[in-house]
C-alpha cells in the first residue's frame, strides 16, 4: 500500500490517505465513469487531497512508488504494486494543475516502454494517456502527437488517438482542427526565423527549407558564420544552448508537420481560404511546409485551380498568378490522382525547372489504380505478394510510416503477421499480410514473404472489411504506395551483392525481381531521370530504354535497372556488383528524396567514366568480359 510520506507532511492523516486510496482503486478502466469522476472532483475540494494527489503522482514519475511488479529500477522491484495508480493519474489531470501535465507525460513514457530503464505497464499507460487528453495545457496536442509517433506497444497509438479525440471534443473541434491550431510557432516570424543579439553578433535560428533548420551567426560586418564564434562560447553559453535547443525543437515540429500534412493526401480534407491562410500559409512553421506544396483553390463556378504559394501570391504551373480566392472559398491539397496527365507533367516540369524543394513527394507522387486482376479478386490485392523481404527492416519501416504490426517470432501465431495502416483521418484501414520464412530457434526470422492487401472501413468502434471497388481511389492509392515502399526498400532483390555472398536461397526470386517489370515508384523514377539527365554532363552517354538506364562507358555499356538499381553489362548481360558505398556522383538537384534515384545517378556517373575507376573489384568484373 502507498505510504503517507508520499503526501506533504501533515497534509493528510493516514486514515484520510487510506480513504482516498480506497476511492482511487475503484478506477479500473482507461477512462472513468461519471460517478467516479464526480466523486473525485468532490474529494479534490477537501483540504489536503489535491496536494496529496499531486505529490503521489510526482512519486510515480520519480519511481518512488511502484506501479507494476516489473516497473522501475531493480531496487524498486520489491515495492508493493499500487493498484490505485490509474485513479491517481486521472485525479491529477482533473486538478487542472499545470505540473500534473509534466508528471503524467513522464509516467506514460515510463509505463509504455519509451524509457529504457523502465518496464511497461500497459493498463496504466493507457489510463495516463487518456488522462492527458483532458489536461488544459498549451502543449497537450504537441505532446500527444509526439507520443503517438514514438509509442510502439499494441494498442498504444489507438489510445493516443482517443486522447486527441477527447481533447478535440472538449473544444468543439475535429481532431484535425485542434491539431492544426495547436502547432507551436516557437517565437518565429512569418519568414521562418528568429534572431538573438549576442555581444556584437547576431545569432539566427532559421528554417532554410522544409527539411533544414540552421543556427548561424553574423558579425558586425555582415559576414556569415556557420559555427559559434569563439568570443561568444563562454560569456553567452546559456544563450547559445537555448538557441541550439530551439533549433532542435523546431526540427521536431517541422518533421511532425511534414508527416501530418502528408497524411492528409488520403483524407480529401478541405479548408476555407481564410482558415488555410491562418493555420497554414501564414504560420511560421507550417507555412514553410505549405509553400513547398501544390494546392487547389475553388473558383466561383465550382471548379478547382491548382497553384503553389509564393509569399502572398498563388502561382500556377505555367508561371501565371492565380487571383486571390474569397475568404470562404474552399482549399484542398493537390493530388496527381485527380489531375489530368498534362497537368501532372506540367507540375513536374515546374518543380524541376524551379528546383522547388517539396516537403514530401507530391508532384512526382506515384499513383495506384485498381487493376483488372484486383477487380477479379474483389476483396484483396496480390499486387505485392510473393516477395522475399528482410523482416527486421520491414518491421522498422512499418513503424516509421505509422503502421502497426505484430512482431513475428517463435511463439503461438508468431509465423503470420498483419501490418495495419489507418488512413483518411481514421475512416479507412489497410492490412498488409506477411509471414515468416525459415524461422529457426528462438530468434525472429531474418526474412518474410509478402501476401495480400485488404481494406476495412470504420464501423462504429470497429472495422468492416469492404471490396476493393468500394475503397475511395485516393485512399487505395495512398495505401498501396506505402506497401510498394515496404516491398521496394526491404526486398532482397535490392541487395547488389546477394549473388557474390554465395546465397543460394531466393536466387530465382532475386533475378526475377531485380530485373523485372517496373513498379509505380520505379516508373516515377524513370520520369524524374528523363528530366534530370539532360542537365548533366553525362547526358550524351545516357539513354532510357524500357526498364533500364543505359550508360555508355569507354570500356563497356551498362544497363542500370530503374527499380533495383542492379546493373547488367553488354555484351552478354553480365551482372556487375557495385556496393552502394563505393558509388560517387556530382551534386544534382533531385525533385524528391529517393535513395534509389540518387544511387542510380551515382552509378551512372561512375560508369560513364569507367576508365577512371580505381576500385580493383569493380575493374576486375568489367574487364573479365
Amino acid at each position: 500500500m502507498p505510504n503517507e510520506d508520499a503526501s506533504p507532511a501533515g497534509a493528510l492523516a493516514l486514515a484520510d490517505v487510506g480513504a482516498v486510496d480506497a476511492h482511487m482503486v475503484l478506477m479500473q478502466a482507461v477512462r472513468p465513469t461519471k460517478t467516479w469522476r464526480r466523486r473525485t472532483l468532490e474529494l479534490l475540494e477537501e483540504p489536503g487531497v489535491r496536494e496529496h494527489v499531486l505529490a503521489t503522482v510526482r512519486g510515480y514519475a520519480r519511481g518512488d512508488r511502484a506501479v507494476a511488479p516489473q516497473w522501475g529500477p531493480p531496487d524498486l522491484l520489491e515495492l508493493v504494486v499500487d493498484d490505485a495508480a490509474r485513479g491517481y493519474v486521472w485525479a491529477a489531470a482533473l486538478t487542472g494543475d499545470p505540473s500534473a501535465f509534466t508528471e503524467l507525460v513522464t509516467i506514460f513514457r515510463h509505463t509504455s516502454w519509451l524509457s529504457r530503464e523502465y518496464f511497461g505497464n500497459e493498463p496504466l499507460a493507457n489510463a495516463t494517456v487518456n488522462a492527458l487528453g483532458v489536461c488544459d495545457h498549451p502543449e497537450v496536442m504537441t505532446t500527444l502527437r509526439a507520443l503517438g509517433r514514438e509509442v510502439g506497444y499494441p494498442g498504444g497509438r489507438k489510445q493516443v488517438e482517443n486522447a486527441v479525440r477527447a481533447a478535440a471534443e472538449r473544444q468543439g473541434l475535429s481532431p484535425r482542427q485542434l491539431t492544426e491550431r495547436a502547432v507551436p510557432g516557437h517565437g518565429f516570424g512569418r519568414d521562418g526565423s528568429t534572431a538573438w543579439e549576442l555581444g556584437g553578433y547576431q545569432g539566427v535560428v532559421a528554417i532554410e527549407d522544409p527539411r533544414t533548420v540552421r543556427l548561424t551567426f553574423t558579425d558586425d560586418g555582415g559576414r556569415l558564420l556557420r559555427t559559434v564564434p569563439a568570443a561568444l562560447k563562454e560569456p553567452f553559453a546559456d544563450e547559445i544552448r537555448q538557441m541550439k535547443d530551439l533549433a532542435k525543437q523546431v526540427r521536431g515540429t517541422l518533421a511532425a508537420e511534414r508527416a501530418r500534412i502528408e497524411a492528409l493526401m488520403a483524407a480529401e480534407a478541405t479548408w476555407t481560404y481564410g482558415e488555410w491562410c491562418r493555420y497554414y500559409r501564414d504560420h511560421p512553421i507550417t507555412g514553410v511546409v505549405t509553400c513547398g506544396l501544390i494546392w487547389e483553390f475553388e473558383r466561383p463556378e465550382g471548379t478547382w485551380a491548382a497553384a503553389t504559394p509564393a509569399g502572398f501570391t498563388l502561382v500556377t504551373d505555367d508561371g501565371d498568378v492565380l487571383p486571390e480566392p474569397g475568404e470562404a472559398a474552399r482549399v484542398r491539397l493537390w493530388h496527381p490522382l485527380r489531375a489530368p496527365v498534362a497537368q501532372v507533367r506540367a507540375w513536374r516540369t515546374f518543380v524541376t525547372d524551379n528546383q522547388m524543394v517539396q516537403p514530401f513527394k507530391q508532384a512526382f507522387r506515384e499513383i495506384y489504380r485498381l487493376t483488372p486482376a484486383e477487380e477479379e479478386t474483389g476483396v484483396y490485392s496480390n499486387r505485392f505478394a510473393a516477395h522475399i523481404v528482410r523482416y527486421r527492416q520491414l518491421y522498422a519501416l512499418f513503424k516509421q510510416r505509422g503502421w502497426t504490426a505484430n512482431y513475428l517470432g517463435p511463439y503461438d501465431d508468431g509465423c503470420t503477421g498483419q501490418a495495419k495502416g489507418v488512413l483518411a483521418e481514421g475512416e479507412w484501414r489497410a492490412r498488409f499480410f506477411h509471414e515468416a520464412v525459415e524461422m529457426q530457434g528462438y530468434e525472429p526470422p531474418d526474412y518474410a514473404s509478402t501476401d495480400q492487401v485488404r481494406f476495412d472501413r470504420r464501423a462504429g468502434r470497429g472495422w468492416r472489411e469492404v471490396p476493393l471497388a468500394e475503397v475511395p481511389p485516393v485512399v487505395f492509392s495512398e495505401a498501396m504506395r506505402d506497401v510498394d515502399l515496404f516491398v521496394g526498400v526491404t526486398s532482397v532483390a535490392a541487395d547488389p551483392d546477394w549473388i557474390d555472398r554465395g546465397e543460394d536461397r531466393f536466387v530465382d526470386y532475386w533475378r526475377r525481381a531485380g530485373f523485372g517489370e517496373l513498379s509505380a515508384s520505379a516508373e516515377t523514377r524513370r520520369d524524374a531521370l528523363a528530366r534530370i539527365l539532360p542537365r548533366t554532363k553525362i547526358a550524351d552517354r545516357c539513354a532510357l530504354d524500357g526498364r533500364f538506364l543505359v550508360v555508355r562507358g569507354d570500356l563497356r555499356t551498362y544497363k542500370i535497372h530503374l527499380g533495383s538499381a542492379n546493373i547488367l553489362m553488354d555484351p552478354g548481360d553480365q551482372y556487375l556488383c557495385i556496393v552502394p558505398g563505393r558509388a560517387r556522383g556530382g551534386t544534382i538537384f533531385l525533385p524528391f528524396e529517393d535513395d534509389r534515384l540518387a544511387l542510380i545517378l551515382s552509378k551512372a556517373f561512375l560508369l560513364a567514366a569507367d576508365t577512371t575507376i580505381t576500385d580493383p573489384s569493380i575493374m576486375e568484373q568489367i574487364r573479365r568480359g
Side-chain angles (χ1 to χ4, degrees):
M1 287 296 294
N3 57 64
E4 63 179 330
D5 292 337
S7 59
L12 284 179
L14 185 59
D16 294 328
V17 171
V20 174
D21 282 345
H23 171 69
M24 297 303 169
V25 169
L26 299 177
M27 173 70 188
Q28 294 293 315
V30 297
R31 289 177 293 276
T33 63
K34 291 181 179 179
T35 302
W36 188 94
R37 186 177 184 136
R38 183 170 59 250
R39 176 55 183 155
T40 301
L41 291 172
E42 292 172 355
L43 282 172
L44 290 173
E45 295 297 321
E46 297 181 7
V49 173
R50 175 189 172 92
E51 291 75 13
H52 168 70
V53 167
L54 293 173
T56 301
V57 168
R58 282 196 297 273
Y60 294 146
R62 292 195 305 262
D64 295 342
R65 293 169 60 119
V67 292
Q70 303 90 4
W71 185 79
D75 58 336
L76 297 180
L77 296 187
E78 295 182 0
L79 292 180
V80 177
V81 176
D82 194 341
D83 293 327
R86 280 183 288 190
Y88 273 109
V89 298
W90 262 95
L94 294 175
T95 65
D97 192 290
S99 68
F101 176 79
T102 303
E103 309 295 1
L104 293 182
V105 171
T106 301
I107 293 169
F108 179 74
R109 296 189 68 84
H110 290 344
T111 55
S112 60
W113 289 281
L114 294 180
S115 296
R116 292 182 180 180
E117 67 270 26
Y118 292 91
F119 291 89
N121 180 352
E122 289 182 23
L124 180 57
N126 292 340
T128 304
V129 76
N130 278 276
L132 282 169
V134 304
C135 289
D136 286 318
H137 193 281
E139 295 182 8
V140 64
M141 285 306 303
T142 303
T143 301
L144 286 173
R145 289 170 60 200
L147 293 175
R149 292 192 301 273
E150 293 181 65
V151 69
Y153 71 91
R157 190 171 285 115
K158 179 181 179 180
Q159 296 300 331
V160 174
E161 291 170 357
N162 290 339
V164 170
R165 193 174 297 110
E169 289 174 355
R170 289 173 52 242
Q171 299 188 36
L173 300 171
S174 70
R176 171 169 58 82
Q177 289 173 321
L178 181 60
T179 300
E180 64 195 14
R181 284 159 173 75
V183 179
H186 297 290
F188 276 36
R190 191 179 178 278
D191 64 347
S193 70
T194 187
W196 302 43
E197 299 296 332
L198 303 174
Y201 292 84
Q202 184 181 66
V204 177
V205 179
I207 304 174
E208 293 190 353
D209 60 52
R211 294 181 176 274
T212 308
V213 180
R214 292 194 189 280
L215 168 60
T216 59
F217 295 85
T218 53
D219 59 21
D220 54 8
R223 185 166 58 100
L224 180 65
L225 307 171
R226 290 285 187 179
T227 58
V228 179
L232 301 181
K233 288 184 178 180
E234 289 190 14
F236 295 96
D238 290 342
E239 289 84 351
I240 291 169
R241 184 172 60 253
Q242 292 174 32
M243 294 179 73
K244 290 181 177 180
D245 288 345
L246 176 62
K248 181 179 180 180
Q249 293 169 18
V250 174
R251 289 187 191 100
T253 302
L254 197 59
E257 284 300 272
R258 289 199 309 269
R260 180 182 72 82
I261 296 176
E262 183 174 17
L264 294 175
M265 291 288 284
E268 300 283 7
T270 63
W271 302 261
T272 67
Y273 182 66
E275 289 175 328
W276 178 80
C277 290
R278 188 174 308 114
Y279 300 115
Y280 285 80
R281 186 195 67 182
D282 299 340
H283 191 281
I285 311 298
T286 309
V288 176
V289 179
T290 300
C291 291
L293 294 170
I294 307 160
W295 300 81
E296 288 188 286
F297 302 86
E298 187 181 34
R299 293 188 175 108
E301 67 273 18
T303 59
W304 296 85
T308 187
F312 290 96
T313 303
L314 300 175
V315 180
T316 62
D317 57 37
D318 56 6
D320 288 344
V321 175
L322 185 72
E324 186 171 8
E327 187 83 2
R330 290 184 298 164
V331 182
R332 68 185 183 187
L333 269 167
W334 179 86
H335 198 296
L337 187 72
R338 290 192 301 262
V341 173
Q343 188 184 78
V344 174
R345 290 173 178 163
W347 275 114
R348 290 181 176 182
T349 299
F350 181 95
V351 167
T352 305
D353 289 350
N354 292 280
Q355 296 197 2
M356 180 178 173
V357 179
Q358 294 207 282
F360 51 81
K361 191 190 292 187
Q362 186 192 28
F364 284 85
R365 201 171 191 83
E366 304 86 355
I367 59 175
Y368 303 78
R369 303 182 190 275
L370 211 59
T371 64
E374 289 161 343
E375 291 174 352
E376 183 71 21
T377 56
V379 295
Y380 65 88
S381 168
N382 272 333
R383 189 183 308 200
F384 297 107
H387 287 273
I388 305 298
V389 296
R390 294 183 181 83
Y391 177 64
R392 291 175 179 81
Q393 187 181 14
L394 177 70
Y395 187 79
L397 200 52
F398 288 154
K399 295 177 66 176
Q400 181 184 326
R401 293 294 297 174
W403 288 53
T404 58
N406 59 302
Y407 195 64
L408 300 183
Y411 40 78
D412 290 344
D413 298 324
C415 292
T416 59
Q418 284 189 56
K420 301 171 183 177
V422 178
L423 303 97
E425 298 183 293
E427 292 303 310
W428 290 90
R429 183 177 73 176
R431 289 179 290 141
F432 177 35
F433 293 79
H434 51 283
E435 60 185 28
V437 174
E438 299 180 359
M439 189 155 55
Q440 298 178 358
Y442 297 97
E443 295 296 323
D446 291 328
Y447 304 101
S449 62
T450 62
D451 208 331
Q452 301 174 356
V453 179
R454 293 175 178 258
F455 285 83
D456 306 317
R457 186 171 194 168
R458 176 75 69 180
R461 290 183 175 272
W463 298 94
R464 176 177 60 86
E465 185 173 275
V466 298
L468 300 181
E470 294 183 16
V471 181
V474 72
V475 172
F476 179 84
S477 183
E478 289 297 301
M480 298 301 275
R481 180 177 182 270
D482 267 0
V483 177
D484 190 357
L485 174 70
F486 298 150
V487 173
V489 170
T490 65
S491 169
V492 300
D495 185 347
D497 60 348
W498 182 269
I499 297 293
D500 287 354
R501 289 207 310 267
E503 292 274 8
D504 293 330
R505 296 175 301 167
F506 320 131
V507 167
D508 290 341
Y509 164 77
W510 183 88
R511 287 176 175 149
R512 183 176 68 253
F515 298 101
E517 295 299 321
L518 300 184
S519 65
S521 58
E523 290 284 4
T524 302
R525 203 171 290 132
R526 189 183 196 282
D527 190 11
L529 283 168
R531 299 165 191 278
I532 295 168
L533 286 170
R535 305 165 186 266
T536 68
K537 65 182 182 181
I538 61 170
D540 61 339
R541 288 180 171 267
C542 296
L544 290 165
D545 184 9
R547 293 168 283 170
F548 297 94
L549 169 61
V550 180
V551 181
R552 178 175 53 83
D554 291 320
L555 301 177
R556 303 189 72 166
T557 297
Y558 311 90
K559 300 191 297 185
I560 308 174
H561 191 263
L562 300 177
S564 64
N566 291 338
I567 306 168
L568 297 176
M569 298 182 288
D570 282 340
D573 278 352
Q574 295 173 320
Y575 177 66
L576 171 62
C577 174
I578 298 180
V579 177
R582 297 172 180 167
R584 296 288 184 269
T587 301
I588 302 172
F589 169 76
L590 301 182
F592 52 85
E593 279 200 350
D594 183 347
D595 291 341
R596 198 69 53 81
L597 175 60
L599 178 60
I600 289 170
L601 279 168
S602 66
K603 287 183 176 182
F605 272 88
L606 181 75
L607 296 172
D610 55 4
T611 56
T612 66
I613 296 174
T614 57
D615 189 305
S617 66
I618 297 176
M619 289 308 298
E620 180 183 355
Q621 294 176 77
I622 292 174
R623 295 188 183 281
R624 189 185 301 152

